[in-house]
Short mmCIF file of all heavy atoms in Angstrom, two decimals:
data_model
loop_
_atom_site.label_atom_id
_atom_site.label_comp_id
_atom_site.label_asym_id
_atom_site.label_seq_id
_atom_site.Cartn_x
_atom_site.Cartn_y
_atom_site.Cartn_z
N ARG A 248 162.85 60.12 71.04
CA ARG A 248 162.32 61.48 70.98
C ARG A 248 163.47 62.45 71.25
O ARG A 248 164.22 62.28 72.20
CB ARG A 248 161.22 61.64 72.04
CG ARG A 248 160.38 62.89 71.83
CD ARG A 248 159.35 62.98 72.95
NE ARG A 248 158.18 62.15 72.74
CZ ARG A 248 157.15 62.45 71.94
NH1 ARG A 248 157.17 63.57 71.26
NH2 ARG A 248 156.13 61.65 71.82
N CYS A 249 163.62 63.43 70.41
CA CYS A 249 164.70 64.41 70.59
C CYS A 249 164.49 65.17 71.90
O CYS A 249 163.42 65.75 72.09
CB CYS A 249 164.76 65.37 69.42
SG CYS A 249 165.92 66.74 69.71
N PRO A 250 165.47 65.17 72.82
CA PRO A 250 165.26 65.88 74.09
C PRO A 250 165.20 67.40 73.93
O PRO A 250 164.72 68.09 74.81
CB PRO A 250 166.48 65.45 74.93
CG PRO A 250 167.50 64.98 73.96
CD PRO A 250 166.78 64.51 72.73
N ALA A 251 165.69 67.91 72.78
CA ALA A 251 165.70 69.37 72.60
C ALA A 251 164.39 69.88 71.99
O ALA A 251 163.72 70.73 72.57
CB ALA A 251 166.88 69.79 71.73
N CYS A 252 164.03 69.31 70.82
CA CYS A 252 162.85 69.86 70.14
C CYS A 252 161.63 68.95 70.23
O CYS A 252 160.53 69.36 69.87
CB CYS A 252 163.17 70.14 68.67
SG CYS A 252 163.38 68.63 67.70
N GLY A 253 161.80 67.71 70.72
CA GLY A 253 160.66 66.83 70.95
C GLY A 253 160.19 66.05 69.74
O GLY A 253 159.23 65.28 69.85
N THR A 254 160.81 66.18 68.59
CA THR A 254 160.36 65.41 67.44
C THR A 254 160.82 63.96 67.57
O THR A 254 161.84 63.66 68.19
CB THR A 254 160.89 65.98 66.10
OG1 THR A 254 162.32 66.01 66.17
CG2 THR A 254 160.36 67.37 65.84
N GLN A 256 162.47 60.73 66.32
CA GLN A 256 163.57 60.45 65.40
C GLN A 256 163.84 58.95 65.34
O GLN A 256 163.67 58.25 66.33
CB GLN A 256 164.84 61.16 65.92
CG GLN A 256 164.71 62.68 65.97
CD GLN A 256 164.82 63.30 64.58
OE1 GLN A 256 165.66 62.89 63.78
NE2 GLN A 256 163.96 64.26 64.28
N ALA A 262 172.08 62.46 65.09
CA ALA A 262 171.67 63.83 65.44
C ALA A 262 170.24 64.04 64.96
O ALA A 262 169.75 63.36 64.06
CB ALA A 262 172.60 64.83 64.77
N CYS A 263 169.56 64.97 65.63
CA CYS A 263 168.18 65.27 65.29
C CYS A 263 168.10 65.93 63.92
O CYS A 263 168.86 66.87 63.63
CB CYS A 263 167.61 66.21 66.36
SG CYS A 263 165.94 66.78 65.98
N THR A 264 167.17 65.42 63.08
CA THR A 264 167.04 65.99 61.73
C THR A 264 166.30 67.32 61.76
O THR A 264 166.26 68.03 60.77
CB THR A 264 166.26 65.01 60.82
OG1 THR A 264 165.01 64.73 61.44
CG2 THR A 264 167.02 63.72 60.59
N GLN A 265 165.70 67.66 62.88
CA GLN A 265 164.93 68.90 62.99
C GLN A 265 165.77 70.05 63.52
O GLN A 265 165.73 71.15 62.99
CB GLN A 265 163.72 68.65 63.90
CG GLN A 265 162.72 69.77 63.96
CD GLN A 265 161.91 69.85 62.68
OE1 GLN A 265 161.72 68.87 61.96
NE2 GLN A 265 161.45 71.06 62.37
N CYS A 266 166.53 69.75 64.62
CA CYS A 266 167.24 70.85 65.28
C CYS A 266 168.75 70.65 65.35
O CYS A 266 169.46 71.54 65.81
CB CYS A 266 166.68 71.08 66.68
SG CYS A 266 167.10 69.75 67.81
N GLY A 267 169.21 69.46 64.93
CA GLY A 267 170.64 69.22 64.89
C GLY A 267 171.27 68.78 66.20
O GLY A 267 172.46 68.52 66.28
N ARG A 268 170.48 68.65 67.24
CA ARG A 268 171.01 68.22 68.54
C ARG A 268 171.52 66.77 68.45
O ARG A 268 170.89 65.92 67.82
CB ARG A 268 169.90 68.35 69.58
CG ARG A 268 169.98 67.39 70.74
CD ARG A 268 170.28 68.09 72.04
NE ARG A 268 170.63 67.13 73.06
CZ ARG A 268 170.37 67.33 74.34
NH1 ARG A 268 169.76 68.40 74.72
NH2 ARG A 268 170.74 66.43 75.22
N HIS A 269 172.66 66.48 69.10
CA HIS A 269 173.18 65.11 69.13
C HIS A 269 172.22 64.22 69.92
O HIS A 269 171.86 64.56 71.04
CB HIS A 269 174.56 65.06 69.78
CG HIS A 269 175.63 65.60 68.90
ND1 HIS A 269 175.91 65.08 67.67
CD2 HIS A 269 176.52 66.63 69.08
CE1 HIS A 269 176.90 65.76 67.11
NE2 HIS A 269 177.29 66.71 67.95
N LEU A 270 171.82 63.11 69.32
CA LEU A 270 170.91 62.18 70.01
C LEU A 270 171.69 61.12 70.77
O LEU A 270 171.16 60.44 71.64
CB LEU A 270 169.97 61.52 68.99
CG LEU A 270 169.03 62.51 68.30
CD1 LEU A 270 168.26 61.82 67.18
CD2 LEU A 270 168.06 63.14 69.29
ZN1 ZN B 1 165.65 68.09 67.73
#
Side-chain angles (χ1 to χ4, degrees):
R248 194 182 279 280
C249 172
C252 70
T254 57
Q256 298 284 318
C263 175
T264 55
Q265 189 73 26
C266 70
R268 151 113 192 211
H269 286 301
L270 296 172

